[in-house]
Amino acid sequence: MAKRMRSPSPQTIAVLDVLFQQQRRWLYGLQIAEATGLASGSLYPILIRLAERGLLESRWLEPEREGRPARHAYRITGEGRAVLSHALKVRATSGLQEA
Amino acid sequence: MDFANVLLNIAGRITPSDRRDWLAAMKAEQQEVRSGRLRWAVGCLTVALGWRVAKDGLYASFICASLWFLAATPFFVLEAQLMPAELWDLGLYPPLVYLVAIGLVLGLYRPRLAVYASIGVVVFYDVQATFETYLWVRQMPEFRDQTLWAFLQDLQINNAHLLIGFCAHLGACLCGGLAGRWISKQLKSAKR
């Protein structure tokens, strides 16, 4: 069971959303950074937190080109999808209330 | 080696061991970055600094608090309340007792750094206290022209020669630090 989580920040939701859009693929940190517009200093603390809470899984993938190091890749988990879905619902509801 | 790599090397040095994998992940991505390599490296360094502060912030705060306590506490108040006169006669001056206690906590908290931290605390404390006393003495009209060197030749720490007083401080803090390290090791082996 995932640890109880405060309502995720917009940046965290953006990361989960990118992973959800490509949920069958393993995504690299750089791809997530490009898709969300987050800098490495903001992205990695989010990835670490999500991984520690079991909302995404990670693995090392062999390099595509010779001489390059293995790369860390990420994929959303079932719990991650549930948290994202809940966060999007909350956001939509609070958006409606403000309107 | 470009500046981005220098920053990544610094990040590697300050990253705690339990976060090494994540730094490796960031470093591997940096090799794939086409533009903005420096920005990526600055981000890595920021994250590594955050990890280090999270891990050692309390430790650093304790060292700062210790130095503040040693430098700013009015000893004449604490001496009268906490230290019986008999102990003074034995040479147990309050700073020695405080330094043993500070060393003990430093040794318990970070056993590997006990020696370095003890030396750092004592050197900082004695240099700061000496210089502060020198400035205070120079405010008196009769000592206005006294040089630092002449002041040091006359200076005593805990009624002993400057060097002996400094060694006593260092010994006290190191004793505390090594005792803390030993206790920490015993506690760890008892847990296993």
Side-chain angles (χ1 to χ4, degrees), chain B:
Chain B
M1 183 184 284
D2 63 9
F3 190 56
N5 284 337
V6 171
L7 295 183
L8 284 177
N9 281 342
I10 297 170
R13 284 176 189 275
I14 61 176
T15 297
S17 52
D18 58 340
R19 295 295 191 191
R20 287 274 151 81
D21 270 6
W22 283 102
L23 185 75
M26 286 191 270
K27 275 183 165 179
E29 290 310 295
Q30 205 251 1
Q31 301 230 347
E32 304 296 329
V33 176
R34 302 216 188 287
S35 66
R37 292 182 75 241
L38 184 61
R39 190 164 165 249
W40 189 271
V42 168
C44 295
L45 183 59
T46 312
V47 173
L49 276 171
W51 288 333
R52 181 50 66 187
V53 169
K55 195 172 176 66
D56 285 336
L58 189 63
Y59 184 65
S61 304
F62 177 74
I63 290 181
C64 292
S66 303
L67 291 170
W68 175 84
F69 174 80
L70 287 167
T73 307
F75 284 118
F76 58 92
V77 176
L78 291 171
E79 283 162 8
Q81 291 172 353
L82 301 177
M83 296 290 291
E86 293 78 18
L87 293 179
W88 283 69
D89 296 338
L90 293 172
L92 284 173
Y93 291 87
L96 296 178
V97 179
Y98 302 148
L99 283 167
V100 171
I102 288 167
L104 188 73
V105 178
L106 291 173
L108 279 170
Y109 198 82
R110 279 274 187 283
R112 281 186 187 177
L113 293 177
V115 172
Y116 299 115
S118 301
I119 293 171
V121 164
V122 171
V123 167
F124 190 90
Y125 166 53
D126 278 344
V127 168
Q128 176 272 334
T130 302
F131 198 65
E132 193 178 297
T133 312
Y134 173 63
L135 294 178
W136 179 73
V137 165
R138 276 201 37 171
Q139 285 180 344
M140 297 177 206
E142 62 268 36
F143 294 112
R144 190 154 289 157
D145 298 326
Q146 191 177 35
T147 61
L148 181 62
W149 178 242
F151 169 77
L152 288 176
Q153 283 180 323
D154 291 338
L155 186 69
Q156 290 193 325
I157 296 179
N158 298 341
N159 287 346
H161 185 271
L162 177 70
L163 205 57
I164 295 171
F166 173 75
C167 289
H169 280 179
L170 191 59
C173 203
L174 279 173
C175 280
L178 293 173
R181 185 157 82 178
W182 182 80
I183 293 169
S184 173
K185 274 186 186 169
Q186 299 305 313
L187 290 174
K188 271 183 194 162
S189 58
K191 269 185 191 172
R192 283 178 207 145

Side-chain angles (χ1 to χ4, degrees), chain A residues 38-69:
Chain A
L38 290 171
S40 59
S42 306
L43 174 65
Y44 276 86
I46 292 173
L47 290 175
I48 293 167
R49 210 163 44 243
L50 293 175
E52 286 175 350
R53 287 173 183 168
L55 305 185
L56 60 79
E57 55 186 333
S58 60
R59 64 182 285 200
W60 290 96
L61 296 180
E62 287 304 309
E64 288 156 4
R65 281 177 287 173
E66 206 174 317
R68 298 280 181 164

